[in-house]
Amino acid sequence: MRADDGEDLLAGYVTGPAAATEATAVALARAESARVVVLVEGVSDQIAVETLAARRGRDLQAEHIVVLPVGGAHGVARHLRRFGPEGTGARLAGLCDAGEAHIVQRGLAAAGVGAPGSRAELGRLGFFVCVEDLEDELIRAAGPAQVTEVLAAHGDLGAFRTIQQQPAWRGRDEAAQLRRFFGAGSQRKLRYARLLTEAIALDRMPQPLTALLTAV
C-alpha cells in the first residue's frame, strides 16, 4: 500500500477521533437545503453509499441529496424530526443495522413519517435494513476470497493473517474474522467501505445498499 493510499481514499471525508461528530456537523450544513436526506449510522456507511452512487453515474450533490451520518442509530430520531414533515420537509431515506431497526421504526412514527411494522414497510418508506451491518453485507457480497484479494492489493493481508492466528479468533468463520479486522483500525473500516464497494460487481452489491439508491 502506498503511504498516501489511505489519505487518497478518504479525501473529502472527516477522519480521526472526532470523525463521528464532525462528519455529522459537515453534512448537517448541507442538509438544511437538501431535497433528500439519507440517514446512515456512520461515516463508513456514508462512504459506501456515495461510492456506489458514483459508480452508477450519479452526482448526489447535483441531485440535492445529502448522506448524513448520524453517529449511531440513537441519533436517527432527532434528525427525522429535523428533516421530516415537521422540519424542512425533505424526502427521507436511510440504512440501519438489523439490531437497530426498531429504533428507526419508533423514530419514523414519532416524526410523523409513517408507522412501519415490518422491514417491508420500512423499505416502502425508503429505509433498508442490513442483516448485521453494512460491513457484513459487503463481505458477504464480495465473498472472503475477493475480500482477501483486496486486502493483498492494499498491503493489509499480512495484518489480517495475524488476527486470524490470535487465540480468540483462530478457527473462527472467516467472514467474522474480516469484520473484526475492519473494526480494529481507526481508518481501516472507512478505507475498506470504499475499496469493497468499488471492487464488488454492480450486480452483486448488497441488496439494502442497492435498494436505497434505487429509492432516492
Side-chain angles (χ1 to χ4, degrees):
M1 183 175 67
R2 303 191 321 271
D4 62 347
D5 189 22
E7 295 179 5
D8 290 347
L9 289 168
L10 299 178
Y13 290 99
V14 177
T15 61
T21 54
E22 290 181 12
T24 301
V26 169
L28 278 173
R30 296 185 291 113
E32 292 296 337
S33 59
R35 179 180 63 85
V36 181
V37 177
V38 178
L39 303 177
V40 297
E41 293 193 24
V43 180
S44 62
D45 305 300
Q46 176 190 14
I47 290 171
V49 171
E50 293 178 349
T51 299
L52 180 56
R55 284 192 65 191
R56 294 173 65 169
R58 295 185 62 177
D59 183 340
L60 297 185
Q61 183 173 354
E63 295 179 47
H64 304 286
I65 299 173
V66 171
V67 183
L68 173 61
V70 300
H74 288 281
V76 167
R78 65 177 177 273
H79 295 299
L80 286 170
R81 291 192 299 271
R82 180 169 182 169
F83 297 106
E86 298 178 3
T88 67
R91 182 179 172 190
L92 296 166
L95 282 177
C96 67
D97 300 345
E100 282 76 43
H102 64 289
I103 298 172
V104 176
Q105 289 172 313
R106 289 200 304 266
L108 286 165
V113 179
S118 67
R119 290 189 185 184
E121 291 174 359
L122 274 170
R124 284 192 284 273
L125 291 174
F127 287 77
F128 301 92
V129 182
C130 298
V131 172
E132 293 290 342
D133 53 28
L134 189 53
E135 285 71 35
D136 170 69
E137 294 277 0
L138 290 169
I139 291 165
R140 285 189 294 106
Q146 185 178 23
V147 177
T148 54
E149 287 177 7
V150 175
L151 290 175
H154 292 271
D156 284 327
L157 185 57
F160 173 60
R161 297 302 186 207
T162 298
I163 279 185
Q164 286 185 299
Q165 294 307 311
Q166 292 176 353
W169 291 95
R170 190 180 300 133
R172 296 277 296 275
D173 176 74
E174 192 169 17
Q177 294 171 335
L178 286 164
R179 285 183 68 207
R180 169 67 178 84
F181 179 72
F182 292 140
S186 61
Q187 293 191 6
R188 189 180 288 159
K189 185 175 181 179
L190 308 187
R191 290 193 297 110
Y192 281 96
R194 167 160 282 175
L195 290 168
L196 292 179
T197 306
E198 289 177 339
I200 297 168
L202 288 174
D203 62 356
R204 293 182 57 192
M205 280 291 166
Q207 188 275 336
L209 192 55
T210 299
L212 173 66
L213 281 170
T214 300
V216 299

